[in-house]
Amino acid sequence: MTEQHQGIEMTLFSTEEMSAVFANEAHVRSMLRFEAALARAEARAGIIPHEAAKRIEASCKEEFFDIAALYREARKAGTLAIPLVKVLTRRVEGEAGKYVHWGATSQDVIDTAMMLQMREGIDLLVAGLLEIGAVCAKWSEQYRHTLMVGRTLLQHALPMTFGLKAARWLALVTRLSSELRERRAQKIALQLGGAAGTLASLGEKGLVVGAYLAEELQLPAADMPWHTERDRVVEIATSVGVVAGAMAKIANDLVLLSQSEVGEVAEGRAVGKGGSSAMPQKRNPVDTTRAMASARLAIGMVPVLLSGMVQEHERGVGGWQAEWAAIPELFCTTAGSIEGVREALVDLEIDPARMRENLDLTNGLSMAESLTLALGVKLGRGEAYRLVQEVCQRVVASGKTLRQEVLEDHDIQEHLSSDEIDLALDPKNYLGSTDALIDRALAGYQKILQ
Amino acid sequence: MTEQHQGIEMTLFSTEEMSAVFANEAHVRSMLRFEAALARAEARAGIIPHEAAKRIEASCKEEFFDIAALYREARKAGTLAIPLVKVLTRRVEGEAGKYVHWGATSQDVIDTAMMLQMREGIDLLVAGLLEIGAVCAKWSEQYRHTLMVGRTLLQHALPMTFGLKAARWLALVTRLSSELRERRAQKIALQLGGAAGTLASLGEKGLVVGAYLAEELQLPAADMPWHTERDRVVEIATSVGVVAGAMAKIANDLVLLSQSEVGEVAEGRAVGKGGSSAMPQKRNPVDTTRAMASARLAIGMVPVLLSGMVQEHERGVGGWQAEWAAIPELFCTTAGSIEGVREALVDLEIDPARMRENLDLTNGLSMAESLTLALGVKLGRGEAYRLVQEVCQRVVASGKTLRQEVLEDHDIQEHLSSDEIDLALDPKNYLGSTDALIDRALAGYQKILQ
Amino acid sequence: MTEQHQGIEMTLFSTEEMSAVFANEAHVRSMLRFEAALARAEARAGIIPHEAAKRIEASCKEEFFDIAALYREARKAGTLAIPLVKVLTRRVEGEAGKYVHWGATSQDVIDTAMMLQMREGIDLLVAGLLEIGAVCAKWSEQYRHTLMVGRTLLQHALPMTFGLKAARWLALVTRLSSELRERRAQKIALQLGGAAGTLASLGEKGLVVGAYLAEELQLPAADMPWHTERDRVVEIATSVGVVAGAMAKIANDLVLLSQSEVGEVAEGRAVGKGGSSAMPQKRNPVDTTRAMASARLAIGMVPVLLSGMVQEHERGVGGWQAEWAAIPELFCTTAGSIEGVREALVDLEIDPARMRENLDLTNGLSMAESLTLALGVKLGRGEAYRLVQEVCQRVVASGKTLRQEVLEDHDIQEHLSSDEIDLALDPKNYLGSTDALIDRALAGYQKILQ
Amino acid sequence: MTEQHQGIEMTLFSTEEMSAVFANEAHVRSMLRFEAALARAEARAGIIPHEAAKRIEASCKEEFFDIAALYREARKAGTLAIPLVKVLTRRVEGEAGKYVHWGATSQDVIDTAMMLQMREGIDLLVAGLLEIGAVCAKWSEQYRHTLMVGRTLLQHALPMTFGLKAARWLALVTRLSSELRERRAQKIALQLGGAAGTLASLGEKGLVVGAYLAEELQLPAADMPWHTERDRVVEIATSVGVVAGAMAKIANDLVLLSQSEVGEVAEGRAVGKGGSSAMPQKRNPVDTTRAMASARLAIGMVPVLLSGMVQEHERGVGGWQAEWAAIPELFCTTAGSIEGVREALVDLEIDPARMRENLDLTNGLSMAESLTLALGVKLGRGEAYRLVQEVCQRVVASGKTLRQEVLEDHDIQEHLSSDEIDLALDPKNYLGSTDALIDRALAGYQKILQ
């Protein structure tokens, strides 16, 4: 295939860095890393001569291989391992060549290479999430007291602050980062089993070689070969998919806040960004839109991997091979979704005045509950509730504010002074545990940074 | 992005031809085709000067554009149309430049370009299916009488012929080809609506321009702009997904027939194909495996497109943009699945002797029903059934063949002569409508070839 | 299973009618319809005695069967057909009993029963869509000239009318109804093939019996048995999935229009609907939310069916059986999505004043393109564009309206009279083909009603 | 809805126990548990009178509620919490009634109830997995040395033992059980935030109430309210989906081993199970087929939940509500897949003789690698390899066994004695680390049992 066939997802819906981690070249490089380490491990275990290991290692260099040709051969051979081992063996020459890939099966090298790439991929994802966290942490403090309305089912509900909104996103990316790190620690593992998972050609020394190889690659050894038990891979993948879903949530919130009628945030201006020559008022949400599209693509890979778990006996027919494309695509598009959110956040224009304006849009009715509580202390909950409900109905009917209607209500004024009313109707007095929750989110984020 | 980031799905799970149809370059070319045709249509409608149209058309050539730079800009701008129109306008220069993209919105050009590409893509898919059909048609005749066992739940059931199996695949690809052609005729359509779907900047002439533009591109005009009603796109996509599912069915049947224990077919031998240096007996199913993996990836795109149908008001945020990657990937991997099946079939080694051997594996018990029918004519159905069931139980217990046990059963021999028994136990006499069904499949295929 | 285990999707995310069509009882009833018709067809073909057919038919009544017991047995037997045929045979008694299910396989009766149910299901879906169409058609007329803003990427773009919005929905449900009807006409078909798809036990008469049976059930005969070629089923299913996706689009538009900050529509008030005791201002979008949730569930079934197409040889292991639940769930939840949209629409409160107010929110900037066109006639496009862009920048900076800024711009006033300016800035003069498009949508709907 | 509308997935593709955990009744019961505990917690925190808490608790009994009526109301109200709180409030009466659901929002009670049910659900899933583990553990020992062929891409590869196959399944269910337990420990959590996630109506005491409520329900408190950050829920769900995928893998292996041509295992016989009256030889794989169908349905729910993560601001529109059906269905069908595998395993008939027979099917070629190793010691790897490859080609050509051809090869006999040849060709000498791996799997399982 020539450069001409470059697909769009790598161009628009990924990042340079992640695309590099999962490029065909990177896969070959990881496979060569496996072959070199295997030779070293087997030399340590006394299975192959040290000299042979050295000669193999010396040939395990990407620049010796014609990547495009390898992939062309892989199409015929069924796996990339077959042409790669063939070319490597030829290059090593002589008796040492015979020890190339000794005791391993194609799937050992491919699965291990993919694990090495996924480990790098996870690190990139976590780094991106933590950058988002840094912005959210800053805002949690900065907008801690900036009032905005909380919206349920896209209807105004109660007051909250933009700092709390940022803190919720912060807690989210903190949890996602922890989760990815746990996956990295627990699920990334070496694959080594030989053709039937018995390590037969390594005789008695199979597990020793496995242990040495794990050391060489700084990968945990698995309890067992896992050629057709894909729980590790898919558990990593689903956690990555959850990250994509979470990015889409944040991006969608930003898009909703950017609506012309809401206008509480807007993506930063930049030359060539989100504009329209015909419509100068236009500020399209570009980064967030890209984040949402990327996340959709990422999520699409998860059921491919899940249903691909049905792998036959000791080597799958189709389910395994689909992973070769599905995992790179999942990581790349998830990276794209993180990057889209990150780019949107770093330049985001935030409009606290508009937030306050929107909060007041329902004429103060979002403070009805607060008023009921204040009255309840004096009157009992039942009576308070009845009175406030009546006032609220008048607000809806008259179009006046809740404050105006309360000040015209003699029953209420009998029990609450004008100051008490103002206190009860001020949104900043009705924020409950907002502050404490922001502190928790900040503390949680600080903790994973260490 | 550089060439280095080439992804695996384009390399292993697509075809050269389909990847070319959906490459970034091809998308730009299709967009330029739209812009040139739009200018011509508007000149015909008297909206822009003919001279301007000519100058625009002269600039709508892929070679004038730096594709990679356009995609880089698209990342910032939100769509590829914005930088493309900007560069095109600059190139046209002067007053004529102002008429570039006149009255159209970004989505008009992108959707129409994608429709042009999908039309080409469908043609490639149909061509591939018909090639599979050609092989199956040949086999339907050639193996019309070649006995094999029919398997239900992977258990032996009744005799059939390999010709019938091929005829079922033939009827399947015939139906799929018809379906794709209908989709092409009914769902491929022009997109033209302007920013809000009103064609406002074309004044009274919006529908006329639409009609002329449809003519210029030889695309059907749509009843309405369909920017956020994606039924057309998704109905095409799901039919493509069904093709992928069907390819996986055929590929899976081939893999099952290739099992070491079954051995009725094997993928053709070729240098470097499906072998294993350590295990000379090995004939791995390579093309079919690739077909199955490709189909899994294709199917993964369908829910992305379906759930992406929720597009907001007059332009979607995320759902639409995800299509830009999901549609190319769907077409490419479906092409990969067709190609895998086609390659497997053209060189397939078929072993009629092994088919017959496997048919006899259950000692003739698959002929029990046939025997009951023959006896029933003489004895009544009820009594016949009772007798045959007893004999069958003896077969299972003794390990002898049904024929042996029948010849030792005096009750049966009282009613059936030795010749009648042989007739009743011969699988080739128990094929029902096999012949007629093969004829139907052949006739159906001939019909769509015309 | 007892009543206690009723699941939520049948309760909240379906309709009574559709749940009845796909209830276990309805499936048994459809299977009995097949068995009775099969007996009649075989009697007509001279394969079984007419008397036996009559006795079989007399026993094919739902009330003779303990549905719960049948399903319990099905769990063990592998299909519902086995216990059903066993009980039916026992009930018919004597020699006639032996002719029950003659020549058919379990999958023949189950697939045909499902086809009968899907046919009914499609009719219900179409009826629901046409009811939505009726409301949209009424609104297309009624709000033909009601101005509102068109929104792209949730940003204000250009003026349009609410009548056009309704017309787009109308055209959508019209297309979906046509599509479902075509699917009904082309894909619904009889299944009859016997255990291996050869119709062996019907001897020479397999195709005749098939033709008679098709007549009896008023179902088209298929070209071939299609036990493991599921294209028909999945093509129906994907079109149903597209309906669900489309309903989610309409529902989502309604939810977005209902936002507190937008307020252009609201779901109708009803006792117990969408309220909140604590928050009297609250009007939650209930029906649309249910529509969106239902659609999500429906879409989830499509990949289950697509990936289930990989069915082994002559009878699938898992893929087929999953259809038994996936198809009912797909139809039920899609019906739920239609019903949610329908209920939302019939009582929808529409606020044209708010629509107009929102249109003016960007100070008339959505009319910039219109102004450019008017000026262009006098000045040439290039100069007009330059002037308007400057004015627009002043609007954004000053917060004044476009009209105010234009009236303060001497360059523009040199070329356009005050009346011409008013004309150019009035959104109702910038609606392009809106009227014609509405007419098209209405005509299309009228046509499918006939 | 009446009992008539019972759907099939509850009947065939779930278990009694899991269906009970996720039945509508169980959901109401869990919600009542929340309301009672909330009242107690608020009394402890001094927010509501102890007497009120007692009266509320006394009314939180399932038998006081008309479940069907509640769900009917929920359809209109938008959530089940609204009618439930209304009925509960009415039942409690008087001033105490005003304290029902105090400070909580609908989503608090629904999410927490679902968490309680998921916790129970996880326990059932783990119990089922451990039962499968028990069978596999027994077999790992019992068939530790029972030779069978390892199959890659469904082709014979190398010898292994059935004990190792069982050990791989054992290690799989062990890992899945651990994973589910970790999910239970880390992701199951209380939801409490009030309408906007601020806990405003609890004043300063929001977090204290949260802590008490967590204690009362023995649920971990969450770091933050998580109304629209669904990572917890979806991470649980994806792990359950992975269980379903793993069950399908085991079930599929069993189906493949049960094929007529393979015959190494068969599902146990039982009256009414998997038979066919017409075909007495038939032993259909019933439990495994059900397991595979159930798993397909389960996997279908995962993308519904993932794409449903995009939940708007402080309460989702559609994504959240879809969970109400998707989570129960996911747990129920996953339970169905576990149960299917469990039932298949407990009665499985295992045929060691047939395993051995199949191992010998390729005339001993699976021992070629072993022979090369033995020869290599004497001759050097290169020369050994060349000699063995030649012999293997003769085996393929002649149809003789590898042993026969080796005994006719003078070159080989020069270097290996007849005893050495027999040693090298005996599969039981070529099992590598099989024994050690079995021990590991057994140890891992023992560990999680403690």
Side-chain angles (χ1 to χ4, degrees), chain D residues 360-365 391-402 404-405:
Chain D
D360 294 336
L361 208 69
T362 50
N363 291 329
L365 281 175
V391 174
C392 286
Q393 280 152 7
R394 290 204 297 276
V395 170
V396 171
S398 70
K400 293 189 195 167
T401 66
L402 179 60
Q404 288 170 320
E405 290 287 357

Side-chain angles (χ1 to χ4, degrees), chain C residues 168-241:
Chain C
R168 290 275 289 262
W169 296 337
L170 175 61
L172 175 61
V173 297
T174 299
R175 288 195 303 271
L176 296 173
S177 301
S178 292
E179 178 69 23
L180 286 180
R181 283 179 178 172
E182 276 191 42
R183 289 310 200 188
R184 185 192 197 284
Q186 290 172 10
K187 307 294 173 189
I188 296 286
L190 178 71
Q191 176 72 284
L192 188 72
T198 58
L199 292 161
S201 62
L202 298 176
E204 305 282 291
K205 294 186 174 167
L207 298 186
V208 173
V209 169
Y212 288 165
L213 179 53
E215 252 178 61
E216 295 282 340
L217 293 169
Q218 294 174 282
L219 273 177
D223 53 341
M224 299 275 278
W226 44 275
H227 296 119
T228 47
E229 293 87 24
R230 310 303 289 178
D231 50 309
R232 289 170 195 281
V233 170
V234 184
E235 276 160 0
I236 294 168
T238 54
S239 290
V240 173

Side-chain angles (χ1 to χ4, degrees), chain B residues 102 175 179 183 231 381, chain C residues 102 183 187 231 381:
Chain B
W102 183 248
R175 288 194 304 270
E179 178 69 25
R183 290 309 199 190
D231 49 310
R381 243 183 88 65
Chain C
W102 183 248
R183 289 310 200 188
K187 307 294 173 189
D231 50 309
R381 244 184 86 65

